[in-house]
Structure formats: C-alpha cells, structure tokens
Amino acid sequence: MNVLLKSTTIIDSKSDFHNQTVDILIENGVITQISKTIKNTNDVKEIDLENLHMSQGWFDSSVSFGEPGYEERETLENGLNTAAHSGFTSLAINPNTNPVIDCNSDVSFIKGKAEKHAVNLYPIGALTKESKGIDLAELFDMTSAGAIAFGDYKRPIENPNLLKIALQYASNFDGLVLSFPQENKISGKGVMNEQVTSTSLGLKGNPNMAEELQIARDLFLLEYTEGKLHIPTISTAKSVVLIREAKQKKLNVSCSVAIHNLILTDENLTTFNTNYKVLPPLRTQDDINALIEGLKDGTIDMVTSDHNPIDIEHKKIEFDFAKYGTIGLESAFGILNKHFSTKKTIEFLTKGKSRFGIHFQPIAIGNKADLSLFNPNGIQEFTKDHIKSTSKNAIFENHETKGMVYGIIANNKLILN
C-alpha cells in the first residue's frame, strides 16, 4: 500500500514533527518521507482531506464483540470494521463470548479471525475457567497464544485467595491481571447509582462503597503478592483516592475509566432509557470531577469506550431486566474531543498501549505507519446514522460531538470513511 497524505497536521508529542503540517509518503506500510511538500512523482494514491490531522493509532483497552456465540450482537469482522472507521488501530477484546475465551485454542481462534485486518486485535483471556470465578484458567498457555492480559469481564473475583494466587502465578511471566471492582454482596440487585436519583425513580441502588471495598481489598492483595494489577472502569471519587495512594506506594497498579462515566451522571436515567444502564453505573458530578482530576494527574492511566454491543431483545425491555452495556467505539473520539482538548483526547486514546505491552512508535521516517486520521473541528449530533455496529445500544445517541474520524492506516492497509 502506497499513499501520499497532503497537508496533514501531526499530533504526536513523541514525534519531531509534532504540531507541524506536512506531507507524508507511505510506501509498503512504512513512512518513507515527511516534508513540507512532497511531489507525487510515482503517481501513488493521494489523500487530501479538509483539515486533515493524524496521530499514532488509537487503542481501546476494553472492547466486546459477540463472536463466537453471540454473532447477533456483533461479528468479529463487522466489529473490526467498526473500529477502523472509528479511528482505532488496536483493540483489547474481552473474553465474554460463548464459549468464554479461557484456553490456548480460543485465543488462537480470535487472533486468526483478525489476522489480515488493518486493526490489531489483542485477546484478553479469562482469568478463571468459563469466567465462573472458581478455578484459574490456563493463563500461561493463553499468553503463548497471544493473550495480553487476564480478567473476567464485569465479573468480580469474589474469592480473595483466588486473586492472590492469580497475581502470584502471573508474576512468573509478567502477566497482567484484571480485577473488576465490585463487591456483589454490597451492590446486590442495584441497577443504578445509589443516590437521590435512584430513590426518586424507585430503582434499586448500587452504592459507591461496592466498588471501593473491592478496590481496597485488591490493592491489599497486590501489595502482599507484589503482582501486576489493572483495575478496569473505575467510577467513584474514593476509587481515585485509593489508587492514587497505591501508586504513591509504588504498587504495580493501573486503571481505566469508561468515557460515559466521565461525561454522564445518574440524572440521565430519569427517562428510563436502558442505553444508560451500564456497569459500573453512571455516578454523580462530584465523582466525574474526581475522575477528570485523576486523569490529569496520571492516577487514571487510560480511557476506554467499554464498547459492549447488546441486541435489541436484551435492551428494549423493562429497565430492571435490561442487560448492562453500551456501544462506544463510533462516538469515542467525538465525545472526548467535545469535552477535552484535541491534544488531551489523543493522549487518552493512545496512552494505554504500554501498560498492555503493545509496541508503538512515534510518527517518524522509517517507522511503520500505524495512524489515526481525523478532523478535530466541526460540531454535529451523534445519531443512528453514525452507528456501524450491528447492535444500536448507543449511550451517546443524540449527544453533541466535535470533529470527525477519516479512518486509519495500519498493517499496510488504508481504511477511509
């Protein structure tokens, strides 16, 4: 794949060309020239788009598709295409399939399905067999097949000794263990944040304490085992404080936050729209303020769309019985760019790679092209027309976004909207 990008502004703080508007020539998937002006002497495909910007390829640390087992929600092929058109070149995919991704062959199946695609797919193996929280899965074997981390998606490890053993065992091969932060005995049957709004709506609440107790326990186990822990999708102010203190103690811990938990509050649930039913639940503005502060000071390591397609039969039902989850790949850039600077948005969308052991390079001559292409300007409303996922459970439907994604260049392939 040979392509010449004209007048593109580079947003990459690691690159010598950061904030410069240049032409870039890519030949056979490698950046061969960067200059103010490059003449198209070999008649290669030329891309000249309005206000074209580029950055290192974006990464999402928590994405769910359906295949295998739930293809009605999303196939791997359509999911990868959705990611590409949303600007993502790398995804960590959760093991919540049927069967659960909990062995070498399952990881190999997922990797094989994505082998020739522009988007890089990195499986997260289940931490326990069938994600039942009883016995450890085949962690080392899955690492050999290409798994980059281990966790039971949206399922907390209730047995503290099991998590202790997992952290100790995974440390033998530098494995990253994920532990979903929820104490089920505290959260009970809560379906939204426990606060004034839940009382007024008559819905059972899931209190902040359910998350915070679990994080406190996990951090204590981490300190004891000296393992490597990632806490996905935190949502409360106290959680930020706990993880900040743990990092000050030099514990090997990281965490993420879902984009919707940075933007929306529990007050959005007053319409009983099940697209707002997510886990962890939407919290309060005070929690949002603390999460944003945690991002700014580095306590929170990355953001995620927490993309989770749910078919209409499991979403368009009574709120108490609807499944948790929202799609988010398509809206991720536009929502973040609306609420944060473009520089911060790009930082949020690229920062998680190193924690998950994903190789990346600055935009420079001689490096492989792994690029996200976008226009940071322009206000629009996110509607169903922007959804490429098979499932349409979009929490940000009818919300205002800023900018637009043009596509990606990765794995010697060009995908444009």
Side-chain angles (χ1 to χ4, degrees), residues 303-322:
V303 301
T304 171
S305 68
D306 205 19
H307 181 88
N308 188 11
I310 304 294
D311 53 281
I312 192 169
E313 287 82 0
H314 291 99
K315 267 295 184 183
K316 295 294 183 180
I317 56 176
E318 187 179 341
F319 196 93
D320 277 341
F321 302 109

Side-chain angles (χ1 to χ4, degrees), residues 124-310:
I124 296 173
L127 185 66
T128 64
K129 291 180 180 179
E130 299 180 35
S131 287
K132 289 183 175 179
I134 300 172
D135 300 304
L136 281 186
E138 301 170 5
L139 306 189
F140 182 73
D141 284 352
M142 286 191 285
T143 296
S144 303
I148 59 168
F150 309 98
D152 297 335
Y153 183 67
K154 302 298 183 186
R155 296 186 181 185
I157 304 301
E158 295 188 356
N159 181 348
N161 191 54
L162 186 63
L163 182 60
K164 184 199 77 171
I165 294 169
L167 287 165
Q168 289 173 324
Y169 176 62
S171 65
N172 291 313
F173 50 90
D174 197 34
L176 179 62
V177 172
L178 278 60
S179 179
F180 181 65
Q182 178 168 286
E183 168 51 72
N184 283 340
K185 291 182 178 64
I186 299 292
S187 62
K189 296 181 179 180
V191 294
M192 67 170 293
N193 183 49
E194 184 179 88
Q195 259 287 350
V196 175
T197 305
S198 63
T199 303
S200 65
L201 296 177
L203 293 173
K204 290 175 181 169
N206 179 345
N208 290 20
M209 181 172 58
E211 176 173 306
E212 295 151 7
L213 275 175
Q214 194 81 350
I215 288 177
R217 183 206 74 170
D218 290 355
L219 292 174
F220 192 89
L221 291 169
L222 178 65
E223 185 172 15
Y224 177 81
T225 60
E226 298 182 350
K228 187 176 179 182
L229 179 68
H230 178 72
I231 302 173
T233 58
I234 68 171
S235 66
T236 79
K238 181 66 174 175
S239 296
V240 176
V241 172
L242 289 168
I243 294 168
R244 183 181 289 123
E245 290 172 349
K247 287 191 170 188
Q248 289 169 352
K249 292 165 71 173
K250 306 299 182 185
L251 298 189
N252 194 348
V253 62
S254 59
C255 66
S256 66
V257 60
I259 295 171
H260 44 263
N261 285 111
L262 283 174
I263 309 298
L264 305 172
T265 71
D266 55 0
E267 294 179 4
N268 287 97
L269 273 69
T270 54
T271 60
F272 293 94
N273 182 344
T274 56
N275 285 342
Y276 291 105
K277 187 179 180 182
V278 289
L279 193 68
L282 302 177
R283 303 288 188 183
T284 67
Q285 189 61 50
D286 287 342
D287 292 304
I288 288 176
N289 294 341
L291 291 167
I292 291 173
E293 188 58 37
L295 272 171
K296 288 179 178 178
D297 68 17
T299 300
I300 299 175
D301 299 88
M302 64 199 81
V303 301
T304 171
S305 68
D306 205 19
H307 181 88
N308 188 11
I310 304 294

Side-chain angles (χ1 to χ4, degrees), residues 378-389:
I379 300 296
Q380 59 186 329
E381 186 177 292
F382 184 78
T383 67
K384 272 193 167 64
D385 293 337
H386 298 103
I387 297 175
K388 297 185 181 297
S389 302

Side-chain angles (χ1 to χ4, degrees), residues 1-3 5 8 10 12 15 17 22-35 38 54-56 361-371 409 412:
M1 185 274 298
N2 298 332
V3 64
L5 297 123
T8 177
I10 295 175
D12 179 5
S15 171
F17 300 93
V22 294
D23 290 356
I24 298 181
L25 179 63
I26 298 170
E27 297 176 290
N28 297 318
V30 176
I31 299 171
T32 56
Q33 288 187 59
I34 301 177
S35 181
I38 300 175
M54 70 161 54
S55 70
Q56 290 184 34
Q361 296 176 314
I363 298 173
I365 295 170
N367 287 345
K368 285 186 177 180
D370 188 272
L371 308 168
I409 297 174
N412 201 18

